[in-house]
């Protein structure tokens, strides 16, 4: 086997684990424009070009392919929607959606806002261009829309199809199709609440940590029921033997360095 596979700290600490925890991640992971970061709201610079987003195809009801890829749960958005606006240079098409979480409510998000962690963080990953004209490597090849998720006492119906699918993909490298149809629009806050967000240039938060991501972190949070939240760490496993529950798939905070965080 080539170099050991990458993993999160919780996996690296397991006895007899041979995977590389965050401190050993290779690729661009040890460079200086990395993600996630702590967003200090008072230091974010207002940028008047950061207008609202336009979402195309987010209202399309579909049965989604959902995958346990050994690091997260991922919804494949294939010919899903695309976004424009938000001071993006062109349209970006939705590729996949995945989440990061813990079992505690205060350490499941990757980004922090004024040093506050949330229960989960949802990333909708988009690639530059439409399906016809893909563009090559550049620091804005990928646009990730990041939403903080809080736990409340109301069931979030938009998340139910994904939550119900989790029991079918407990093992890594398994996939299923959601039984019920759902649309992305029902998983994110109402569009009129998405005008306020933070913007900075960073990286993938998983190896190879390519520094090709335009990050958008929305101020408006998503709320899901505590039982929905607990299902992620209860039903999903990192390993075949189903010994290590999938949770704390959260990369440690990275240095902002000489980057500026902007806000709409
Ligand atoms: N195998 C896996 N890939 C990812 C992934 C892929 C692309 C991106 Cl952009 C990201 S992130 N967390 O930076 O949004 C994660 C997760 S798990
Ligand atoms: Zn992510």
């Amino acid at each position: 086997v080539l170099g050991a596979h990458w993993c999160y700290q919780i996996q690296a600490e397991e006895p007899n684990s041979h995977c590389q925890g965050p401190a050993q991640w290779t690729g661009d992971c040890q460079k200086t424009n990395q993600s996630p970061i702590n967003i200090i709201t008072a230091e974010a610079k207002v940028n008047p070009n950061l207008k609202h987003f336009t979402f195309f195809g987010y209202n399309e009801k579909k049965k989604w392919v959902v995958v346990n890829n050994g690091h997260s749960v991922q919804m494949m958005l294939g010919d899903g929607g695309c976004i424009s606006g938000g001071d993006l240079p062109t349209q970006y098409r939705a590729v996949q959606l995945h989440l990061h979480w813990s079992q505690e409510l205060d350490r499941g998000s990757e980004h922090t806002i004024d040093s506050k962690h949330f229960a989960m963080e949802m990333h909708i990953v988009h690639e530059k261009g439409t399906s016809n004209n893909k563009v090559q490597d550049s620091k804005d090849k990928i646009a990730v829309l990041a939403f903080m998720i809080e736990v409340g006492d109301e069931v979030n119906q938009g998340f139910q199809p994904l939550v119900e699918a989790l029991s079918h993909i407990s093992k890594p490298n398994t996939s299923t199709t959601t039984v019920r149809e759902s649309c992305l629009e029902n998983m994110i806050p109402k569009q009129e609440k998405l005008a306020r967000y933070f913007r900075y240039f960073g990286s993938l938060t998983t190896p190879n940590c390519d520094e090709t991501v335009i990050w958008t972190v929305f101020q408006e949070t998503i709320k899901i029921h505590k039982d929905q939240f607990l299902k992620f760490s209860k039903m999903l496993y990192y390993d075949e033997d189903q010994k290590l529950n999938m949770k704390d798939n959260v990369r440690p905070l990275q240095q902002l360095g000489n980057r500026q965080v902007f806000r709409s």
Side-chain angles (χ1 to χ4, degrees):
V1 155
L2 292 174
H5 197 59
W6 68 271
C7 62
Y8 290 103
Q9 195 54 34
I10 187 172
Q11 296 169 274
E13 285 169 353
E14 279 292 292
N16 312 322
S17 85
H18 298 291
C19 59
Q20 291 183 314
Q24 279 85 36
W25 290 359
T26 56
D28 289 352
C29 300
Q30 308 303 332
K31 288 188 176 173
T32 57
N33 290 345
Q34 292 288 295
S35 297
I37 58 166
N38 174 42
I39 293 168
I40 302 169
T41 56
E43 293 178 3
K45 190 170 185 306
V46 172
N47 176 348
N49 300 329
L50 293 176
K51 302 271 195 271
H52 66 82
F53 283 90
T54 303
F55 299 86
F56 301 91
Y58 266 58
N59 56 356
E60 188 193 353
K61 276 196 169 300
K62 273 182 74 173
K63 291 188 180 181
W64 305 96
V65 171
V66 180
V67 182
N68 172 341
N69 61 22
H71 309 289
S72 179
V73 57
Q74 199 161 291
M75 262 171 70
M76 312 315 288
L77 303 180
D79 53 5
C82 66
I83 54 173
S84 69
D87 200 32
L88 296 176
T90 179
Q91 272 193 0
Y92 282 68
R93 71 189 182 290
V95 174
Q96 50 106 330
L97 169 161
H98 64 271
L99 298 102
H100 304 264
W101 63 90
S102 177
Q103 202 156 12
E104 283 69 47
L105 302 182
D106 61 354
R107 57 181 226 194
S109 63
E110 294 208 297
H111 290 87
T112 53
I113 298 182
D114 292 333
S115 302
K116 176 186 161 80
H117 274 281
F118 294 80
M120 303 179 89
E121 185 170 335
M122 179 166 85
H123 291 156
I124 308 181
V125 180
H126 300 74
E127 283 185 357
K128 194 172 187 179
T130 51
S131 41
N132 333 47
N133 66 330
K134 288 195 182 185
V135 292
Q136 291 325 309
D137 227 18
S138 61
K139 79 181 174 78
D140 61 2
K141 181 180 169 231
I142 293 173
V144 180
L145 301 186
F147 298 87
M148 299 302 167
I149 299 181
E150 294 181 294
V151 165
D153 45 17
E154 262 196 49
V155 173
N156 184 320
Q157 289 307 331
F159 269 73
Q160 267 310 90
L162 173 60
V163 169
E164 286 160 6
L166 300 180
S167 57
H168 300 95
I169 48 169
S170 288
K171 287 190 177 184
N173 307 311
T174 54
S175 72
T176 185
T177 306
T178 57
V179 174
R180 285 191 294 131
E181 295 184 331
S182 63
C183 64
L184 289 181
E185 200 173 62
N186 291 340
M187 295 179 77
I188 64 175
K190 285 197 275 299
Q191 290 187 26
E192 56 266 21
K193 296 202 177 238
L194 297 181
R196 308 281 298 218
Y197 56 85
F198 299 98
R199 164 64 50 79
Y200 79 99
F201 284 93
S203 73
L204 274 72
T205 67
T206 55
N208 286 327
C209 313
D210 313 45
E211 297 186 335
T212 59
V213 180
I214 303 183
W215 279 96
T216 299
V217 180
F218 289 99
Q219 203 165 308
E220 182 70 20
T221 63
I222 293 170
K223 291 160 194 70
I224 65 174
H225 191 274
K226 187 160 176 65
D227 295 344
Q228 292 179 301
F229 161 71
L230 290 173
K231 282 240 171 57
F232 286 85
S233 48
K234 188 166 177 299
M235 308 307 289
L236 299 171
Y237 291 88
Y238 280 118
D239 60 317
E240 292 291 325
D241 312 337
Q242 301 192 212
K243 289 204 178 76
L244 190 58
N245 290 84
M246 185 180 280
K247 60 183 163 86
D248 299 315
N249 49 358
V250 174
R251 186 188 191 187
L253 290 172
Q254 303 296 306
Q255 292 302 312
L256 180 61
N258 59 5
R259 291 177 285 176
Q260 171 72 53
V261 176
F262 296 95
R263 67 176 310 160
S264 59

